[in-house]
Amino acid sequence: MNTIRHIANAACGLAALMAAATFTGCQDFLEPDPLSMFSPENTFNTESGLEATMAMCDKHLRNYYTHYSNKNINFPLTTEYMFSDLALYSKTDAGSGIYDDIAHKLTPTGGMQDGDANSISFFWNQGYTGVKYANTIITYIDDVKGLSQEKRNEYKGRAYFHRAIRYYFLCWQWGDIPLVTKIISVPKQNYRSTRRDAILRMCAGDMEKAVQWVPSQKDMDYYGMVNKEACRHLLAKLYLSIGEWKKAEAQCDTLINMSGLALMTEPFGEASAANSLNPETWGIERNVIWDLHRPENKISQANRETILGMPNCTDQSHVDFLTMRVLGPSWNDSRLKAPDGKQAVMNYSRTNSKYNESLDALRAFGRGIATIRPTQFAQHGMWVVNGEEDTVDYRHNHNIGNWVRMTDIKYNNPDSKHYGEHLRLYDDNGKCLTTDTIRNWFDFPLYKIYIKDVSAENNLAATQFNGATKGSNANWYLFRLAETYLLRAEARLYQGNTDGATEDVNTIRRRAHCSQLYNTVNIGDIANERARELYLEEFRNVELTRISYDLALSKTPDEWGNTYDAKTWDKQQGTDADGGSYFYQRIYHYSLYNHTGNGIVSGPATLKYTMDKRNVFWPIPNDAITANKNGQLWQNFGYEGYDADIPEWDNRQDAVADEDVTD
């Protein structure tokens, strides 16, 4: 039987490693172990040292989702959604920290944070930290005695996966970046950037080996470790990244037809997981989509759809994952009123005399503060298929409980004469009943953000219910088979097989019991289906940027008939409607970005919501550039420091050879 691997903080000495953000000096990124001699020859000559480092690779992969700032009101993945068609920063009381005017705020010297406003610097540091751990294994694996060649290759394959997925993220967030493939023995301050395509081709080659070397999940003792299926899924993404669409399709074919995986089409898992904490207020009609996204079902033998899950449910390794706090509307804001002027919804604990179990929005939906909110497109527009908003789709269906409209919530303030009625945005005279619609009023996919808050549930006086706090299960998906179908749809579309692409998308829609199926799909339909199916799973910004390149390379038109040039798709700037990449066109068509004029007033804030065409890639951090004082790193188009004549490595061989040159 497979068991969940405990991904705990492993202590081991790491000496003379590249600093993740500065490319200088020696840095130990793990909690020191006083019994270690802090030297690679002592730490990595045993299998236990390799296991500890591999555990850190696994743990840090989960950090992309669960890491949070000291205020605990955001987590990194939401930044990927802010830089997309699906979400906006919405914490309107953040003062100067409001991250709305991205076109002007995001520069090489400012706007990149690891905090509540965004996690851009976190992605840079975390990416190279993950590369470092993977390189540690790759560098020292051959010094470990007593390993069979099969076991040695298994370690290498998993390390290749961890390095490749970090570079996949980094390359589609930043473009051309420094390539680091080994642990260096002395500080290096003369890096040169390597072209994105060369890095991704290297990673594809590594993953071809990993697919051969890493065992299938069915042959493993633990969940949460990299398996063959995850390697194959990542390889398909990498093939798409370099224009090898036929190879990408073949990898998807193998995963779908020959790996023992299958889409879940019927309710499954424990019956106790089939409802929210408070069915008296909000009941869930048992359905496969709700069950598919219950944390206890994500890593389970009953779930044949999981390719790779990330465990987050044990005392040894649990990290709070406050999805309901960060992503839910601020429904109990005092500025949201009933038509008679009373506060609309109160945050009552179960010990309060005014508590009514049938009006308990707190335990049903969580205590949201709306750090991030979905766009209007994410709430409505993307659900339109064949000219009809498909509210039958289980992923958008409030009748079965998966989706929540603000008007589903009821007034629970006994002082209001509207007590027990459904919320309204306007009174009878057309007056808006909140001064902050950005933060207080939006619909949301409860099935995606809902996590039982065990700690709060055990405390009758609790008034939070934020999501996965202590004792809660917060397992999450990294890859699952539904995405494989959508990757294959893309690969088929770029090759001209529209019928095959359409069938792949409709397969996902049939599982969701949609009322509308496609007759034929374009790239917009596939991107929309990704948004419907993979919200809070995919790196949305990364995938839209990759798709933008694929469209330019294949000359495939987008949903508006635009085609893109592979030489210029990422070399434009401005905030007007014309040009830019497919990423930018979706931003412009489907979000508030660049449509607010001098700004919109919401609560205490005036929000501009701008995005520049150049923002398809983020600027290389200035501190990385200046710390690399004996060399010159590439800066992306449109940002200060951009120079088309800066030399770069255009192949893996030269970049790797240069790693040993430190003068």
Side-chain angles (χ1 to χ4, degrees), residues 18-64:
M18 181 200 74
T22 64
F23 299 97
T24 63
C26 305
Q27 187 167 340
D28 180 17
F29 285 84
L30 302 179
E31 180 181 347
D33 177 357
L35 301 181
S36 172
M37 294 297 292
F38 297 107
S39 57
E41 61 270 21
N42 291 324
T43 303
F44 299 113
N45 62 2
T46 65
E47 187 173 1
S48 61
L50 295 176
E51 289 176 336
T53 310
M54 191 67 74
M56 292 307 296
C57 287
D58 295 333
K59 175 182 180 294
H60 278 264
L61 189 58
R62 187 187 66 187
N63 282 357
Y64 284 115

Side-chain angles (χ1 to χ4, degrees), residues 488-498 501 521-523 526 556:
R488 187 170 70 175
E490 263 193 80
R492 287 174 164 176
L493 185 72
Y494 301 142
Q495 297 175 84
N497 181 5
T498 307
V521 297
N522 55 42
I523 192 60
I526 296 173
T556 302

Side-chain angles (χ1 to χ4, degrees), residues 551-565:
L551 286 184
L553 198 62
S554 66
K555 299 296 184 183
T556 302
D558 65 16
E559 57 262 47
W560 305 286
N562 301 322
T563 56
Y564 301 88
D565 190 325

Side-chain angles (χ1 to χ4, degrees), residues 61 66 193 243 252 346 447 472 492 505 535 632-633 656:
L61 189 58
T66 59
S193 298
C252 294
M346 307 297 290
Y447 71 97
S472 305
R492 287 174 164 176
V505 174
Y535 181 62
Q632 193 171 13
L633 297 183
V656 171

Side-chain angles (χ1 to χ4, degrees), residues 282 383 390-405 447 512-513:
W282 188 253
W383 301 97
D390 193 343
T391 58
V392 175
D393 184 333
Y394 276 10
R395 301 162 300 183
H396 191 54
N397 189 322
H398 81 126
N399 290 320
I400 62 174
N402 287 355
W403 185 269
V404 178
R405 302 172 179 175
Y447 71 97
H513 293 245

Side-chain angles (χ1 to χ4, degrees), residues 85-86 289 293 374-398 400 402-405 442-448 480 508-509 511-518 524-525 527-536 540 586 590:
D85 47 356
L86 300 184
I289 297 298
H293 293 284
T375 59
Q376 190 73 2
F377 173 71
Q379 295 175 67
H380 299 288
M382 77 178 189
W383 301 97
V384 174
V385 176
N386 300 330
E388 179 179 330
E389 183 172 348
D390 193 343
T391 58
V392 175
D393 184 333
Y394 276 10
R395 301 162 300 183
H396 191 54
N397 189 322
H398 81 126
I400 62 174
N402 287 355
W403 185 269
V404 178
R405 302 172 179 175
F442 55 83
D443 304 342
F444 58 99
L446 182 66
Y447 71 97
K448 276 294 180 88
R480 60 185 173 93
I508 302 303
R509 295 189 61 75
R511 189 269 292 280
H513 293 245
C514 298
S515 66
Q516 302 295 315
L517 298 178
Y518 286 106
D525 300 322
N528 290 350
E529 197 64 30
R530 288 189 66 92
R532 301 174 192 122
E533 183 68 23
L534 301 171
Y535 181 62
L536 297 183
R540 183 65 176 178
R586 285 192 70 94
Y590 298 142

